[in-house]
Amino acid sequence: MRCLLFFVAVVAWSKPVEFTRDVRPILSDACFHCHGPDDSSRMAGLRLDTKEGAFAKAIVPGKSAESLLVKRITHTNKALHMPPLSAKVQLNEAQVATLKQWIDEGANWEEHWAYQKPQKPAAKSIDEIVKARLVKEGLTQNPPADKATLLRRVTLDLTGLPPTPAEVDAFLADKSAKAYEKVVDRLLASPHYGEKQAMHWLDLARYADTHGFHIDSHRDMWPWRDWLIGVFNKNMPYDQFTIWQLAGDLLPNATREQKVASGFNRNHVINYEGGAIPEEYQTEYVVDRVEATSTTWLGLTMGCARCHDHKYDPIKQKDFYQFFAFFNNVNEKGLDGQRGNAAPVLALPSETQAGLLKEINEAVASREKQLEAADVPAQVKAWEAERKFEAPSRTGLLAHYEFEGNMLETTGSYKHGKYLGLPPTPRDGPVGQAATFDSTSLAEAPAAHDFDATKPFALAFWFRGGNNLDPLVILQQKDETGWLFTHDTIFSIGDLRRGAHLIVKFFGPGGAALEMQTVAPFGYGDFVHFALNYDGKGNFTLLQDGKPAELKTLKNTLNGANFKTSAPLTVTKLVGSLDDLRIYGRELSAAEAHQLAVVEPVRYLVENSGIRRTKEQVATVREFYLTYEAPAATKALYARLQQLKRERKELEEAIPTTMVMEERAEMRETHLLIRGAYDRKGEKLSAATPGFLPPMPAAAPKNRLGLAQWLVNGEHPLTARVAVNRMWAQLFGTGLVKTVEDFGSQGEMPSHRELLDYLAVRFVESGWDMKAMQREMVLSATYRQSSKVSPALQERDPENRLLARMSRFRLQGESVRDNALAVSGLLNTKIGGKSVSPYQPPGLWEDVAYGAQFTAQRYEQSHGADLYRRGMYSFWKRTLPPATLATFDAPDREKCVARRATTNTPLQALALWNDPTFLEAARHLAEKTLTAAGPDRAKRLRQMFRTATARYPNAAELALLEKVTGEQLAEYRAKPAEAAKLVAIGESKAKYADVVELAAYTSVASAILNLDEVITKE
Amino acid sequence: MTTRRNFLSQLALGSLLSGATPTKAKSIIYLHMSGGPSQIDLFDPKPQLKRFQGQDLPASIRMGQRITGMTSGQSTLPVASSVFSFGKYGQSGAEFSELLPWHQKIADDICLVRSVNTDAINHDPAITFIQTGSQQPGRPCIGSWVNYGLGSENKNLPAFVVMISQKSGINVDQPLFSRLWSSGFLPSNYQGVKFRAGTDPVLFLNDPEGITPSTRKNILELSGQLNAKRAAELGDPEIETRIAQYEMAYRMQSSVPELMDLSKEPESTYALYGPESKKPGTFAQQCLLA
């Protein structure tokens, strides 16, 4: 970590001491812990954070020698010295001197600056204030940056993308006085402006595409993200922007958009770990909302007051829970999210979808009404009394296991097989009972059944998979030769519906094998009937639930070898259920398969009418009747109804949803939680804003809407300051208050308090106009300065807090990616929509994944144009955020983050060298240049360098580029196979014919994309 | 160039410890067995469990403690003791079950802590708590704190390295999360660097096919020289840092594989770690690497 020195070092001032700047920080650091706002830990009844407390006995204004405070901090008796010698924070001589001087000068007391309403200063511009300060410091501003640098800077700042060479040309050519202003207005109107602003807001909103916590499965909040980008582009005023996000759902007759906006406070992590206690997590969600809201709008670390009164700021624990009460009335569950979005959810059908859904619902309702009128249960009852079923044919039936609590073979031999280990559990199956195996139970048939490659046979059974996710053998009859049924790893289809493919294997001697797999997956967790036919001549067919199912051959080395075996039929370590296993010495017809899969379960129920039917069994009989046996008109009606329901399901699955805020009908009670524990309830509280801030108007509703309106009523001391400070930090790298997340007494004092207030007042006066605010900032001479720095200034002001130059700092991770894609021409500029999955080394998600039955456990890389979307659209999995973005300091989005670190590490170098995104971009940059710039090497390199940096290389730089290009041409000429491999990186195909030349320029382009200048805003 | 052993000796603990108490520790190896067997079956027999076997957990013991949703629906909460037999070993008389025959032989060389307890009742909050001190996500992990507080004396390799033992294919065990090695609110360079099994232990460490060794060197040097010119022109010391980080990345390309290379380990070492230690990504091999 670089050592950072705040330029307003606390030393003994020859000038008068200012309380807020010089004194309060000392008291806060050294004294407040025991003599601060926290009632429960206050010592000796002394409090130094309020004027009344401090002046009661500790301070005599004008007389430091008589002040108890000074006596104690200078006391020579170790037992009486303050702070106690055991305390971590001790005062140095300079600090003691400052305190003395302050008291001697009259002990002027100011309340904490950030809690006082900003006052409009006399100064009329940003530059006036910055320059006045520089004059005091004996410094001057840098000259303006050159035009190309300025254009690249402002384009990256406002859109997150670099300028195109044509835009650079146009700006250089425009000699008018308004040239720069025109550019700024063009950029503010660009649709990419909204993307850039949203990119920062997503960190505050802790936006992600997964729920976080334990299983971390998929969620859809991208409709909220799309809304966000849209309103930044439309320049929605910040007050409205605030109200919609905190309470859009509570606005009168809230529109769909306003409800979507309220999703800001649904972006938090959501848990559904088995065994977790719902109330505990529901409490955490509310705490998270308090923290995110207070950090984003108030610049306060309210989270500190969850367990006790704040040690440094006047936030009481009670204030925390009164604020908590605003967010505690959401109609949510403590554990949710298994099936995608967690309630409350808003469906977002398109107009067409909404119309269609309405139509289908009406059609379904009318047909259900007709069926009801036909009194189906009475029809079924009458039909059952009449209907006589035929049993399935026993011709060629070699064996039949009914699994009625045993392993009895019932075709006539009546031999018992064996259950080994713990017997399988008998449970209701499709036909009577089924045997449910877990991994501790085995079964073995009494004898081998005859399966011979030269004879036809059929094998039919019911199967339902259990909870095991890895492939397990369903049934087998095998030693060296033989056969087995298994399935592949279970995967999710949609929300938690699970599927797998059936796999059939036959083995000949010496490792010869035939492997086949179903093309369509079967629903895992439901009973499925399989019937495998063999014609005796090498051909297999499969019937699934009585209908032909396609089998594809995965492997065939059998070549007619026989798979005959003397091993008995066994069930080994199966987790799942089996029922009604039949073995025939012939093939089954489709009608017979249908009889086994569809008719048999019904025959069993009808013929055993004494058995009390489950709900599912009643439905099975009803469905059979309506599908096959009812009068023609009723059958047609039912078929249409089923069809409509399928269509409705498909439509509903296609309609996106987003999570929103929604109030419960009955208020949830809020209590102060003792030590923050959800199950230690103290005093009952209702919603209120913190006592040390201006109160809410008496008439305001005491809900989120009232809270949001209070934040933006123009009287609030923090809202505007916090917002403009964040905008400043985006442009200048550091906020005027460096701790953009903390304006409290442990936060840093503003470097230019007057400037912060000027901007805050301007912002409110402009009607909270975000674009106008940023426009004013980027048009300032302060912003337009060159970023060059002399060693003397670097030493004096390493963090550029005095603004005698423009700050120069690395692009944020997303922009590092976007910039490379943009300069290479690869960038897909599509805005919004679902997140995408760019290249990522294999196995990263799988290392941390749970089971395949949950969503977002396996990384499924996107293809085609989706590989080249902006970084902000990368699928954000909280337990493993996008790898390269994380290397460039992107947060995991588990919590609200107001300020990212900007590190400089070797891992970043490795990613820029070898992430295929950047190598593919290098190749496209090279290809683009080679195609457009003609054959001259210098011209090519000048153009390539300029595309990436917005400036032409100087002579020395060009000489270096030319030299290395020559070496690289020689290298790849000698190794054409390597050249071919380099240009093959990435899914897009190289078009430039001369592969050696392309590879050589690709390597040089890679070096250019790795330049500090390219990943930095200068 | 750093060798494997000498890297390990430099890992993690550095200058700050040289203050008040002299320390012998040079590095910390922390094994976190997610989903390991219970202490009750290994080294903490709790003999009273046998007495209450099958009886409902007495209120005097539970004292109103909450229980996980997995069991809160049960009508009774019977006490169950270990089914394994325990004995006392070594001079210390430390207790181990029959499941730990090797620990029995080194009983006096182990420091057992049996007083640890927790409020966490579920997997995720429990392991998040162990690693970060908080059951809820968002705080820095212990490795990040050590890295932040003590740093590393090694300049060629990351100070804080994480290795995850892998199963074939997708996990069916309890999941892990990057939060367990996250730097939380500390700057992100304090987070754990994951060393992965296989040939690319650090993300993007190896140059892909087509980037020849001399190409890599040329890219490094070209961008380094151009960066140096820019640094001279603009005066931003961050550019010098960038140059140094690129050079370290280049050194890591050889130092990390060397570190991960177990081929020179004698057969006797493998014997100590068991046959699994020859398989990349297994727990045994990760222990050997550590």
Side-chain angles (χ1 to χ4, degrees):
Chain A
M1 189 168 140
R2 287 184 297 164
C3 184
L4 307 175
L5 292 172
F6 185 35
F7 68 93
V8 192
V10 181
V11 293
W13 297 81
S14 49
K15 325 175 238 191
V17 169
E18 282 179 28
F19 177 77
T20 296
R21 184 189 62 190
D22 310 324
V23 176
R24 193 181 175 96
I26 301 175
L27 296 177
S28 179
D29 280 352
C31 315
F32 284 5
H33 196 267
C34 305
H35 302 295
D38 185 356
D39 290 336
S40 66
S41 63
R42 191 170 308 128
M43 308 293 275
L46 171 64
R47 113 173 253 197
L48 295 172
D49 65 310
T50 61
K51 192 174 179 181
E52 303 73 55
F55 288 82
K57 51 183 176 181
I59 293 165
V60 183
K63 294 173 184 168
S64 67
E66 289 171 30
S67 296
L68 185 61
L69 183 137
V70 173
K71 284 183 190 161
R72 294 297 292 272
I73 61 178
T74 54
H75 218 291
T76 48
N77 181 342
K78 285 179 183 175
L80 294 174
H81 185 271
M82 277 286 151
L85 295 173
S86 58
K88 282 184 208 122
V89 182
Q90 294 294 328
L91 296 173
N92 60 33
E93 279 178 32
Q95 289 170 320
V96 170
T98 301
L99 291 176
K100 280 187 188 169
Q101 190 187 341
W102 169 64
I103 295 172
D104 287 335
E105 284 170 4
N108 181 36
W109 184 279
E110 294 165 23
E111 296 304 325
H112 181 58
W113 68 274
Y115 306 148
Q116 315 307 313
K117 197 184 162 192
Q119 299 302 318
K120 192 172 188 179
K124 292 270 177 295
S125 73
I126 294 171
D127 294 328
E128 192 183 331
I129 300 170
V130 172
K131 282 178 184 162
R133 174 65 180 281
L134 285 172
V135 168
K136 268 193 216 159
E137 301 283 341
L139 292 168
T140 49
Q141 283 204 326
N142 259 359
D146 65 79
K147 280 182 92 177
T149 302
L150 180 62
L151 179 68
R152 183 168 180 271
R153 176 192 298 166
V154 74
T155 310
L156 283 166
D157 270 337
L158 294 181
T159 67
L161 296 173
T164 64
E167 285 163 356
V168 179
D169 289 339
F171 183 52
L172 293 180
D174 187 348
K175 307 285 184 208
S176 71
K178 296 250 172 194
Y180 178 64
E181 218 176 315
K182 279 189 273 176
V183 162
V184 169
D185 288 333
R186 168 173 66 77
L187 294 169
L188 288 170
S190 157
H192 300 307
Y193 165 84
E195 289 184 308
K196 173 71 186 340
Q197 303 310 311
M199 191 172 103
H200 297 287
W201 194 260
L202 294 181
D203 280 0
L204 294 165
R206 63 265 188 254
Y207 172 90
D209 296 299
T210 59
H211 287 307
F213 278 119
H214 188 63
I215 294 158
D216 198 29
S217 57
H218 181 98
R219 69 158 58 156
D220 285 301
M221 283 301 284
W222 55 269
W224 174 81
R225 182 178 60 192
D226 286 1
W227 169 83
L228 184 70
I229 296 168
V231 295
F232 273 122
N233 277 332
K234 281 183 236 157
N235 197 22
M236 177 184 269
Y238 189 73
D239 54 349
Q240 194 185 347
F241 178 81
T242 298
I243 291 170
W244 284 32
Q245 291 196 68
L246 291 177
D249 58 309
L250 294 177
L251 287 166
N253 305 317
T255 63
R256 178 157 117 172
E257 247 195 305
Q258 288 166 335
K259 288 179 190 164
V260 170
S262 75
F264 174 86
N265 264 327
R266 295 302 312 289
N267 277 311
H268 54 81
V269 288
I270 293 179
N271 194 17
Y272 61 91
E273 181 180 9
I277 294 171
E279 196 187 350
E280 179 173 19
Y281 285 89
Q282 195 266 329
T283 306
E284 289 303 328
Y285 307 157
V286 181
V287 168
D288 184 279
R289 287 177 196 131
V290 172
E291 289 176 352
T293 304
S294 63
T295 304
T296 303
W297 276 278
L298 295 169
L300 287 178
T301 56
M302 281 191 71
C304 297
R306 174 180 180 175
C307 309
H308 50 72
D309 290 349
H310 203 293
K311 296 282 181 200
Y312 303 99
D313 287 314
I315 308 170
K316 299 275 169 205
Q317 194 185 5
K318 192 171 162 185
D319 288 327
F320 180 91
Y321 287 101
Q322 286 175 340
F323 204 75
F324 178 103
F326 285 112
F327 301 99
N328 192 26
N329 199 38
V330 180
N331 200 5
E332 65 190 331
K333 290 193 278 183
L335 303 179
D336 201 352
Q338 302 90 313
R339 293 170 189 277
N341 282 346
V345 158
L346 181 69
L348 300 168
S350 66
E351 251 177 69
T352 327
Q353 285 172 325
L356 202 55
L357 189 62
K358 187 162 171 270
E359 258 174 53
I360 296 180
N361 277 334
E362 284 165 7
V364 166
S366 90
R367 281 169 179 81
E368 275 178 342
K369 218 169 155 190
Q370 287 176 51
L371 268 187
E372 208 175 305
D375 196 0
V376 177
Q379 287 187 37
V380 171
K381 203 172 170 196
W383 164 79
E384 274 194 50
E386 295 290 314
R387 181 71 156 94
K388 296 285 174 280
F389 285 93
E390 267 178 52
S393 159
R394 292 174 70 90
T395 312
L397 183 65
L398 302 178
H400 184 194
Y401 296 93
E402 295 178 17
F403 294 110
E404 300 302 309
N406 54 38
M407 189 67 193
L408 183 65
E409 198 284 302
T410 58
T411 56
S413 74
Y414 282 93
K415 279 188 186 148
H416 276 282
K418 286 181 280 190
Y419 281 150
L420 308 168
L422 298 169
T425 322
R427 295 232 171 89
D428 276 340
V431 186
Q433 302 217 301
T436 298
F437 293 83
D438 60 30
S439 55
T440 60
S441 47
L442 312 173
E444 189 176 304
H449 298 293
D450 192 19
F451 295 96
D452 190 321
T454 64
K455 295 179 197 160
F457 61 82
L459 220 157
F461 63 96
W462 288 96
F463 169 65
R464 178 175 65 186
N467 285 324
N468 203 78
L469 307 165
D470 287 332
L472 288 177
V473 174
I474 300 168
L475 269 175
Q476 66 172 342
Q477 192 175 332
K478 175 176 183 306
D479 39 27
E480 190 200 350
T481 55
W483 57 269
L484 62 82
F485 285 98
T486 179
H487 58 77
D488 58 3
T489 303
I490 299 151
F491 57 92
S492 303
I493 328 167
D495 296 336
L496 263 201
R497 282 189 300 128
R498 300 186 291 158
H501 298 91
L502 182 76
I503 296 174
V504 185
K505 300 183 184 183
F506 284 85
F507 303 91
L514 167 67
E515 286 184 28
M516 294 169 293
Q517 183 193 297
T518 53
V519 173
F522 63 92
Y524 200 87
D526 306 321
F527 268 106
V528 183
H529 188 265
F530 293 110
L532 183 74
N533 278 328
Y534 178 67
D535 67 356
K537 294 167 198 145
N539 303 309
F540 290 91
T541 46
L542 181 74
L543 294 133
Q544 183 179 318
D545 289 330
K547 291 183 199 112
E550 197 182 340
L551 274 178
K552 67 176 177 194
T553 303
L554 299 177
K555 168 183 170 185
N556 189 0
T557 54
L558 203 55
N559 298 324
N562 205 328
F563 40 72
K564 193 174 159 74
T565 174
S566 55
L569 179 100
T570 54
V571 181
T572 323
K573 283 203 168 176
L574 171 65
V575 178
S577 308
L578 288 170
D579 198 8
D580 203 31
L581 167 65
R582 293 162 186 261
I583 297 162
Y584 293 86
R586 62 178 177 84
E587 288 187 272
L588 288 172
S589 69
E592 283 177 305
H594 175 81
Q595 190 181 6
L596 292 177
V598 180
V599 188
E600 269 300 277
V602 178
R603 180 174 81 98
Y604 179 85
L605 292 173
V606 172
E607 291 181 356
N608 295 282
S609 55
I611 299 174
R612 194 190 154 87
R613 289 180 196 171
T614 63
K615 234 168 91 182
E616 289 76 27
Q617 287 166 337
V618 172
T620 302
V621 174
R622 179 178 186 271
E623 188 185 341
F624 181 82
Y625 170 76
L626 287 170
T627 309
Y628 300 105
E629 309 269 328
T634 314
K635 270 205 296 198
L637 180 67
Y638 184 70
R640 182 68 194 130
L641 179 65
Q642 294 301 92
Q643 174 65 23
L644 284 167
K645 283 184 175 171
R646 277 194 293 276
E647 282 170 17
R648 179 166 67 182
K649 192 154 180 272
E650 270 171 34
L651 181 62
E652 280 172 347
E653 280 169 7
I655 293 173
T657 67
T658 192
M659 301 194 283
V660 293
M661 296 290 266
E662 183 184 280
E663 294 287 285
R664 283 156 50 104
E666 196 186 327
M667 267 307 250
R668 188 184 276 124
E669 275 185 14
T670 295
H671 294 261
L672 186 141
L673 299 178
I674 299 160
R675 297 188 61 190
Y678 73 95
D679 54 355
R680 294 193 59 201
K681 294 191 169 95
E683 185 189 351
K684 194 177 152 191
L685 297 171
S686 51
T689 52
F692 64 97
L693 291 171
M696 273 168 94
K702 299 289 180 290
N703 61 13
R704 283 183 283 114
L705 183 58
L707 174 71
Q709 287 164 340
W710 168 76
L711 282 170
V712 294
N713 66 9
E715 295 299 311
H716 202 289
L718 288 162
T719 313
R721 280 189 178 125
V722 170
V724 296
N725 187 54
R726 217 162 27 224
M727 292 182 209
W728 187 273
Q730 273 178 36
L731 300 172
F732 291 87
T734 308
L736 294 167
V737 174
K738 181 174 157 188
T739 50
V740 295
E741 70 287 348
D742 188 1
F743 278 54
S745 61
Q746 281 304 92
E748 209 180 55
M749 284 289 299
S751 59
H752 300 72
R753 186 170 161 189
E754 196 186 356
L755 177 54
L756 182 68
D757 284 2
Y758 166 81
L759 294 170
V761 172
R762 292 273 293 168
F763 188 42
V764 176
E765 282 178 357
S766 73
W768 304 88
D769 185 331
M770 290 191 261
K771 282 190 182 179
M773 189 82 264
Q774 284 162 309
R775 187 173 188 276
E776 182 168 352
M777 288 178 184
V778 300
L779 287 178
S780 70
T782 303
Y783 177 84
R784 290 157 74 168
Q785 298 176 86
S786 152
S787 59
K788 275 186 200 174
V789 59
S790 67
L793 182 60
Q794 175 67 32
E795 203 185 326
R796 165 121 184 241
D797 184 13
E799 287 197 282
N800 192 24
R801 303 302 303 280
L802 294 174
L803 302 164
R805 62 182 185 277
M806 179 57 188
S807 307
R808 185 184 180 280
F809 55 97
R810 204 202 69 218
L811 300 175
Q812 192 167 313
E814 291 90 330
S815 292
V816 169
R817 171 190 166 86
D818 299 350
N819 181 59
L821 291 173
V823 298
S824 71
L826 258 178
L827 183 72
N828 173 359
T829 54
K830 182 183 162 190
I831 293 170
K834 281 191 180 189
S835 295
V836 294
S837 305
Y839 305 118
Q840 182 161 292
L844 292 181
W845 281 22
E846 287 77 359
D847 278 355
V848 299
Y850 198 174
Q853 79 273 39
F854 300 105
T855 51
Q857 307 296 305
R858 251 176 223 282
Y859 195 75
E860 283 171 30
Q861 190 209 290
S862 301
H863 299 286
D866 278 350
L867 285 169
Y868 315 113
R869 299 284 306 277
R870 295 189 70 169
M872 68 184 301
Y873 301 118
S874 292
F875 192 96
W876 216 283
K877 182 174 170 68
R878 291 188 219 248
T879 55
L880 216 138
T884 296
L885 298 186
T887 301
F888 283 96
D889 306 315
D892 55 20
R893 299 266 171 83
E894 293 201 322
K895 293 266 171 189
C896 166
V897 170
R899 182 163 54 137
R900 285 194 192 182
T902 306
T903 65
N904 191 343
T905 71
L907 301 180
Q908 293 167 359
L910 293 170
L912 282 179
W913 278 347
N914 291 336
D915 181 333
T917 304
F918 293 100
L919 283 169
E920 193 178 18
R923 194 236 299 160
H924 277 258
L925 176 58
E927 196 162 34
K928 190 163 96 167
T929 314
L930 292 174
T931 314
D936 179 63
R937 185 184 296 174
K939 198 175 166 205
R940 287 171 165 181
L941 291 168
R942 275 169 56 80
Q943 187 164 321
M944 189 153 91
F945 189 89
R946 197 213 190 194
T947 308
T949 62
R951 70 174 178 97
Y952 288 111
N954 61 32
E957 289 167 335
L958 184 61
L960 265 174
L961 288 162
E962 285 192 276
K963 176 180 148 278
V964 173
T965 306
E967 289 168 12
Q968 285 303 107
L969 281 163
E971 170 77 0
Y972 284 114
R973 217 170 273 139
K975 296 168 183 160
E978 295 291 326
K981 285 176 191 159
L982 178 58
V983 305
I985 290 171
E987 287 197 0
S988 64
K989 296 275 169 281
K991 294 186 200 83
Y992 192 74
D994 186 339
V995 169
V996 165
E997 198 169 50
L998 180 58
Y1001 277 88
T1002 298
S1003 62
V1004 175
S1006 170
I1008 291 175
L1009 292 182
N1010 272 277
L1011 290 180
D1012 179 77
E1013 181 178 359
V1014 172
I1015 58 169
T1016 298
K1017 191 190 71 165
E1018 295 204 317
Chain B
M1 206 51 72
T2 311
T3 67
R4 221 175 74 72
R5 293 284 169 213
N6 134 17
F7 159 70
L8 293 170
S9 70
Q10 294 170 7
L11 191 75
L13 292 188
S15 53
L16 285 182
L17 275 190
S18 60
T21 323
T23 175
K24 286 179 282 180
K26 295 274 202 250
S27 55
I28 298 169
I29 296 174
Y30 179 95
L31 304 182
H32 180 79
M33 267 77 88
S34 175
S38 160
Q39 76 276 19
I40 290 171
D41 290 329
L42 300 178
F43 53 82
D44 195 2
K46 300 206 186 294
Q48 290 293 314
L49 289 177
K50 286 235 182 321
R51 221 186 97 200
F52 289 99
Q53 177 77 22
Q55 297 175 35
D56 222 24
L57 182 65
S60 60
I61 300 294
R62 184 172 163 201
M63 294 194 296
Q65 282 179 75
R66 64 204 184 128
I67 46 176
T68 152
M70 296 279 188
T71 43
S72 58
Q74 289 175 196
S75 53
T76 66
L77 295 167
V79 171
S81 64
S82 179
V83 299
F84 303 102
S85 63
F86 276 76
K88 293 191 175 192
Y89 299 92
Q91 287 187 323
S92 64
E95 287 169 289
F96 288 105
S97 84
E98 57 187 310
L99 296 176
L100 297 175
W102 299 100
H103 291 73
Q104 294 167 4
K105 297 191 203 319
I106 53 166
D108 290 337
D109 300 322
I110 296 178
C111 174
L112 278 179
V113 181
R114 307 207 305 199
S115 53
V116 176
N117 64 78
T118 179
D119 293 335
I121 54 166
N122 240 20
H123 181 85
D124 171 347
I127 61 174
T128 305
F129 177 72
I130 291 173
Q131 298 294 343
T132 72
S134 164
Q135 291 185 38
Q136 298 301 329
R139 295 188 63 85
C141 74
I142 184 168
S144 293
W145 280 119
V146 171
N147 188 2
Y148 177 77
L150 303 177
S152 166
E153 291 177 349
N154 187 308
K155 296 292 170 227
N156 288 335
L157 287 160
F160 171 23
V161 166
V162 178
M163 292 184 271
I164 302 176
S165 56
Q166 288 155 328
K167 293 183 49 161
S168 57
I170 200 157
N171 235 334
V172 290
D173 291 340
Q174 295 286 342
L176 297 169
F177 340 98
S178 60
R179 119 176 44 110
L180 303 176
W181 55 93
S182 157
S183 56
F185 51 69
L186 292 175
S188 32
N189 47 334
Y190 295 107
Q191 75 194 9
V193 173
K194 199 159 72 155
F195 275 18
R196 310 177 65 225
T199 52
D200 215 359
V202 171
L203 282 183
F204 307 117
L205 180 71
N206 291 326
D207 295 330
E209 288 194 300
I211 296 286
T212 61
S214 63
T215 299
R216 168 56 64 235
K217 201 148 186 297
N218 261 339
I219 291 176
L220 172 75
E221 285 173 1
L222 176 58
S223 52
Q225 286 162 352
L226 291 171
N227 280 342
K229 287 184 188 303
R230 201 69 184 155
E233 163 134 12
L234 297 179
D236 183 355
E238 198 66 13
I239 310 179
E240 304 286 358
T241 310
R242 177 108 38 226
I243 296 169
Q245 299 296 9
Y246 268 78
E247 281 163 4
M248 176 161 163
Y250 185 67
R251 289 196 300 274
M252 278 172 70
Q253 288 194 311
S254 47
S255 65
V256 173
E258 221 170 283
L259 173 81
M260 303 294 279
D261 180 14
L262 294 172
S263 65
K264 294 186 190 78
E265 295 293 337
E267 205 52 41
S268 57
T269 305
Y270 282 116
L272 288 170
Y273 285 82
E276 284 266 292
S277 63
K278 290 196 169 175
K279 288 189 213 155
T282 57
F283 184 71
Q285 183 166 91
Q286 307 283 40
C287 287
L288 176 52
L289 274 169

